[in-house]
């Protein structure tokens, strides 16, 4: 089958786009407002987008509280979502009033970041401390502004729980992430395997 996204006539009960671009890591974004209120929400339009320096991005579909806070304070954290934190992660996605503390709502402890003024999930096995470098309201092909707002951040600090470090590596099997698929679906990771990069012969 084929469908163009202008008509979006896929003929299915739900748009399959997000099921195709999957799995997506979940950035569990922690922020503070200018008023000092704490916020925590999951974002699966999230990924690493550079490593020299380390950069991540999350994208807000509409102007949500996390975007507002990141713009107000210029900082955010991204906590790692392990399988055991799936329920509180989901609870923190509730559409609550601005200023409502999703750490409290989800029964989570908030830890203060070291280098920035933002909270992260104390129970998370890893968390990134980020400074906002750019916020882009994404333009469409005609150059018109959409209501998707991408927030780029430079990772300035990284927390890792000692118990997920094995043989000198961040052990993803121990960290046990859950990832976002399409629809209401999630997945864990399967067996991990190595694949060497191709080497180009000289001459
Ligand atoms: C797993 C998961 C991933 C999500 N990813 C996004 C996303 O990438 N962008 C977005 O705008 N909303 C996303 N949402 C919805 C937000 O978490 C939800 O709208 C939340 O209330 C936003 O909170 P805030 O207004 O405090 O930022 C996601 C929800 C879940 C459960």
């Amino acid at each position: 089958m084929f469908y163009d996204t202008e008509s979006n006539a896929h003929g299915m009960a739900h748009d399959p786009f997000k099921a195709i671009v999957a799995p997506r890591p979940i950035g569990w974004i922690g922020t503070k407002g200018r008023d000092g209120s704490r916020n925590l929400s999951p974002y699966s339009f999230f990924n690493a987008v550079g490593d020299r320096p380390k950069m991540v991005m999350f994208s807000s579909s509409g102007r949500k509280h996390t975007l507002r806070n990141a713009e107000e304070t210029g900082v955010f954290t991204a906590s790692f979502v392990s399988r055991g934190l799936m329920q509180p992660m989901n609870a923190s996605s509730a559409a609550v009033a601005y200023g409502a503390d999703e750490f409290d709502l989800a029964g989570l402890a908030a830890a203060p970041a070291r280098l920035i003024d933002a909270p992260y999930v104390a129970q998370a096995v890893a968390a990134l401390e980020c400074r906002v470098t750019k916020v882009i309201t994404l333009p469409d092909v005609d150059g018109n502004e959409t209501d998707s707002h991408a927030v780029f951040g430079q990772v300035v600090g990284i927390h890792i729980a000692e118990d997920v470090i094995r043989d000198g590596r961040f052990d993803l099997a121990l960290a046990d992430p859950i990832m976002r698929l399409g629809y209401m679906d999630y997945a864990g990771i399967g067996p991990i395997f190595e694949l060497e990069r191709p080497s180009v012969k000289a001459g």
Side-chain angles (χ1 to χ4, degrees), residues 26-31 40-41 43 46 56-58 76-81 116 118-121 124 126-130 155 157-159:
I26 301 169
W28 208 0
I29 310 297
T31 53
L40 178 71
S41 303
Y43 283 79
F46 167 80
V56 295
M57 182 278 312
F58 70 90
F76 65 90
T77 63
S79 295
F80 188 97
V81 184
I116 59 170
Y120 67 96
V121 176
L128 311 177
E129 299 190 6
C130 309
V155 180
I158 300 181
H159 300 262

Side-chain angles (χ1 to χ4, degrees), residues 46-166:
F46 167 80
N47 221 313
V49 291
D51 63 353
R52 281 179 296 182
K54 298 173 179 62
M55 295 280 185
V56 295
M57 182 278 312
F58 70 90
S59 180
S60 182
S61 303
R63 297 200 61 87
K64 297 184 178 178
H65 302 151
T66 301
L67 170 70
R68 170 178 165 176
N69 287 355
E71 284 182 326
E72 282 184 6
T73 63
V75 292
F76 65 90
T77 63
S79 295
F80 188 97
V81 184
S82 297
R83 189 181 294 268
L85 292 173
M86 177 163 42
Q87 294 302 342
M89 179 282 295
N90 198 30
S92 73
S93 77
V96 289
Y98 183 78
D101 187 331
E102 289 100 347
F103 285 92
D104 289 345
L105 188 85
L108 293 162
R114 284 207 200 176
L115 303 177
I116 59 170
D117 186 15
Y120 67 96
V121 176
Q123 294 96 323
V125 297
L128 311 177
E129 299 190 6
C130 309
R131 290 189 186 279
V132 174
T133 56
K134 207 170 185 69
V135 179
I136 301 175
T137 293
L138 298 177
D140 67 13
V141 282
D142 300 317
N144 298 318
E145 281 193 354
T146 67
D147 203 13
S148 291
H149 312 270
V151 179
F152 292 83
Q154 184 166 332
V155 180
V156 295
I158 300 181
H159 300 262
I160 306 175
E162 294 297 334
D163 52 2
V164 294
I165 298 176
R166 187 161 55 184

